Amino acid sequence: MSEKVSVFSETKNKSSLSRKLKFDLEHVGFSSLPEQVHRKSLKKGFEFTLLIVGDSGLGKSTLVNSLFMTDLYADRVLDQVSDKYEKTVSITTRTAELEEKGVKLKLTVVDTPGFGDSLDASECWKKITDYIDEQFYSYYTHESGYGLERRRLHDTRIHCCLYFLPPYVRGLRPIDIETMKCLQTRVNIVPVIGKADALTKSELEILKNNILNDIDKYDIKVYEFPACDSDDDEEFKRLDEQIKTSIPFGIIGSNTVMEVGGRRIRGRAYPWGIIDIESDSCDFSKLRTFLCSSHMQDLKDLTHDIHYENYRTGLIKSMNSGNGSKEKQSRHDDTEKLLKQKEDELRRLQELISKMQQNMTSSDELDQRKQKSLRTFGKSTFDIANSNCTIIKPKTNDFCSSNKNTLNYNFKPQTNFKNLSSYQTSSTAI
């Protein structure tokens, strides 16, 4: 019986060893590439830039703080009513370093205060489009540089634009149509209805339908959701369909934490009750899922593959044809000046280093000469031009030293020198 057990265990070990050898022979190692990308991505972190466009007072800053659970507008100063008469659009950026479960995200929010506040709102979108083009051009110049510039490449391109629409309109206004048409080829536009708590559910649905009809009527391109893959689970497909049908998102923002029924919520208090912004009363949770959980990478991919490539292709064509605008030419000249300044600075540093090396070499040679002169001190010759001198050999005991390499001579001039300036004396150390 014991012999049968030992034979069985031996055959089992042989079969397991053969399977292991077969696995080692078939295993190459590239199956660990996703893990390598995952570790590298966690170490490097992620970048996301969000553009906020809309009228003042629609809850843009409150929504951003609610989405990312941070306070990006702590130092904001509100404008007076008199300052809005001739106010122009300005661009402000705010950056926050966020971390969740070991994943680092560098969030940059680009705000456009003053949009639509002036009495003359013509071409108020020009500063916004110029800013987007500047980020594209900056990325292009760094991407076209050498290895050091590419390593320091930071993605400041706009990945998503939340375009806020007021709740008191019946559809898109002329300023909204023109602005969205100018932005549609540069950035992913996501329409949002601000302060949706000013509308009932039926009014909100009517407004959404009117906005979608105007988008189709004026051929405005907003963000298009990608089709779900066949291997996606049913829960993700259902959530993706809910997000698609919610555009434009009706948003209520709040940074106030309340306790209702023993449960802590973020909501807004009214005389008739409390609204939980994360409930089905608004589309806040769907927008947060869309931006942070399900479609953030797709927004970044569309920005790089479509919007940036279109800009880069047009820029290269204009440079090759020589018909580029003066603005692009001036930007190119500025870049060339900066590169030339860097090259000049690098050249000056190299010259300074070479001078320091030469000074070090000359000081070493001087020290060697000094040591050599000290070793050969006593061996010298003197030439006195135009003088009749009698060399008197010194007595050995009085003038000769014990060193055989040293000879001393006593020069006794026969002429009385009255004017020493008429004679030239030279000495050479051997």
Side-chain angles (χ1 to χ4, degrees):
M1 185 68 181
S2 60
E3 293 179 357
K4 292 183 178 180
V5 172
S6 62
V7 171
F8 176 75
S9 62
E10 185 177 355
T11 55
K12 185 177 180 181
N13 293 333
K14 287 183 179 179
S15 62
S16 62
L17 182 61
S18 62
R19 286 196 302 269
K20 184 177 180 181
L21 290 174
K22 184 179 180 181
F23 175 76
D24 292 339
L25 291 174
E26 294 178 354
H27 180 69
V28 178
F30 57 84
S31 60
S32 63
L33 277 175
E35 298 178 0
Q36 299 177 26
V37 175
H38 178 71
R39 290 195 302 268
K40 188 175 181 180
S41 300
L42 287 179
K43 184 178 180 180
K44 184 180 179 181
F46 300 90
E47 296 176 332
F48 189 76
T49 305
L50 184 65
L51 174 64
I52 307 295
V53 180
D55 298 348
S56 300
L58 293 180
K60 300 189 297 295
S61 58
T62 304
L63 175 63
V64 172
N65 293 336
S66 303
L67 283 173
F68 299 98
M69 295 184 182
T70 184
D71 190 4
L72 290 173
Y73 298 89
D75 56 346
R76 185 182 62 171
V77 179
L78 298 178
D79 296 330
Q80 301 294 329
V81 178
S82 58
D83 298 335
K84 295 185 178 182
Y85 290 133
E86 299 180 357
K87 186 175 181 180
T88 58
V89 182
S90 59
I91 305 294
T92 60
T93 59
R94 300 174 187 270
T95 305
E97 300 284 346
L98 307 178
E99 184 173 355
E100 183 182 26
K101 295 182 180 181
V103 180
K104 298 179 181 179
L105 175 66
K106 183 180 180 181
L107 174 66
T108 302
V109 178
V110 181
D111 200 356
T112 57
F115 178 82
D117 291 345
S118 178
L119 295 177
D120 184 9
S122 59
E123 296 188 355
C124 62
W125 55 85
K126 192 174 185 307
K127 280 192 176 182
I128 303 174
T129 56
D130 290 344
Y131 178 82
I132 298 174
D133 292 342
E134 286 174 2
Q135 305 312 309
F136 281 152
Y137 185 77
S138 176
Y139 190 88
Y140 170 78
T141 54
H142 286 81
E143 187 185 42
S144 304
Y146 297 100
L148 185 60
E149 293 293 332
R150 293 177 67 90
R151 284 186 179 182
R152 297 178 180 177
L153 182 62
H154 293 287
D155 190 4
T156 59
R157 298 170 297 180
I158 307 298
H159 301 120
C160 179
C161 170
L162 294 182
Y163 192 92
F164 277 74
L165 299 168
Y168 47 79
V169 295
R170 297 182 179 179
L172 295 180
R173 302 168 297 175
I175 185 176
D176 299 327
I177 297 171
E178 293 298 327
T179 304
M180 295 175 77
K181 279 189 174 181
C182 291
L183 294 177
Q184 65 182 358
T185 58
R186 294 176 170 88
V187 69
N188 303 310
I189 301 176
V190 178
V192 172
I193 301 174
K195 291 192 173 181
D197 52 346
L199 303 172
T200 62
K201 287 188 176 182
S202 59
E203 291 174 344
L204 182 61
E205 290 298 326
I206 293 173
L207 180 58
K208 284 186 177 184
N209 292 329
N210 292 339
I211 292 174
L212 293 177
N213 292 333
D214 289 342
I215 288 174
D216 294 336
K217 178 181 178 181
Y218 297 103
D219 195 17
I220 298 174
K221 297 178 181 179
V222 296
Y223 173 76
E224 294 183 2
F225 285 80
C228 295
D229 297 330
S230 59
D231 56 347
D232 291 334
D233 55 359
E234 295 298 328
E235 181 66 22
F236 179 79
K237 291 181 180 179
R238 184 182 62 82
L239 181 62
D240 186 73
E241 186 64 27
Q242 288 180 359
I243 295 175
K244 287 181 181 179
T245 55
S246 299
I247 288 182
F249 296 100
I251 297 301
I252 303 173
S254 175
N255 297 323
T256 305
V257 178
M258 303 177 181
E259 186 172 352
V260 179
R263 187 170 59 93
R264 295 173 63 85
I265 63 171
R266 285 191 300 166
R268 302 184 73 94
Y270 300 91
W272 45 264
I274 297 175
I275 290 182
D276 183 5
I277 65 173
E278 297 181 359
S279 64
D280 295 335
S281 57
C282 68
D283 300 328
F284 172 80
S285 59
K286 297 174 184 177
L287 176 61
R288 185 176 61 183
T289 303
F290 163 74
L291 277 180
C292 304
S293 300
S294 59
H295 292 79
M296 178 180 285
Q297 187 59 44
D298 187 65
L299 290 168
K300 296 179 67 175
D301 293 340
L302 283 177
T303 300
H304 181 78
D305 298 337
I306 296 179
H307 300 299
Y308 172 69
E309 286 300 322
N310 291 338
Y311 173 83
R312 190 174 69 91
T313 304
L315 181 62
I316 293 175
K317 286 183 179 179
S318 63
M319 287 181 177
N320 292 335
S321 62
N323 296 327
S325 61
K326 294 182 180 180
E327 183 179 0
K328 292 180 181 178
Q329 186 64 30
S330 63
R331 291 175 182 172
H332 182 70
D333 295 340
D334 294 339
T335 306
E336 293 293 334
K337 288 180 181 179
L338 291 175
L339 291 175
K340 189 175 180 181
Q341 290 177 1
K342 289 184 178 180
E343 291 177 355
D344 295 339
E345 185 178 357
L346 182 61
R347 192 181 300 109
R348 286 196 298 269
L349 290 174
Q350 291 177 350
E351 292 176 355
L352 181 60
I353 292 173
S354 61
K355 287 182 180 179
M356 294 175 64
Q357 292 178 351
Q358 291 177 1
N359 292 334
M360 293 174 63
T361 305
S362 61
S363 62
D364 293 340
E365 292 178 354
L366 183 60
D367 293 339
Q368 293 177 1
R369 289 180 180 178
K370 287 182 179 179
Q371 293 177 2
K372 188 175 181 180
S373 63
L374 290 174
R375 287 195 303 266
T376 60
F377 180 75
K379 291 184 178 182
S380 58
T381 59
F382 299 87
D383 289 336
I384 303 177
N386 301 325
S387 62
N388 296 322
C389 300
T390 302
I391 300 176
I392 303 174
K393 292 184 179 180
K395 295 179 180 181
T396 305
N397 297 332
D398 297 335
F399 297 97
C400 293
S401 63
S402 60
N403 191 358
K404 296 180 180 181
N405 296 328
T406 304
L407 296 177
N408 296 325
Y409 292 94
N410 186 10
F411 294 90
K412 182 179 180 182
Q414 296 179 351
T415 308
N416 186 12
F417 301 109
K418 294 182 180 180
N419 189 5
L420 296 178
S421 62
S422 60
Y423 296 93
Q424 297 178 354
T425 306
S426 65
S427 62
T428 304
I430 300 175

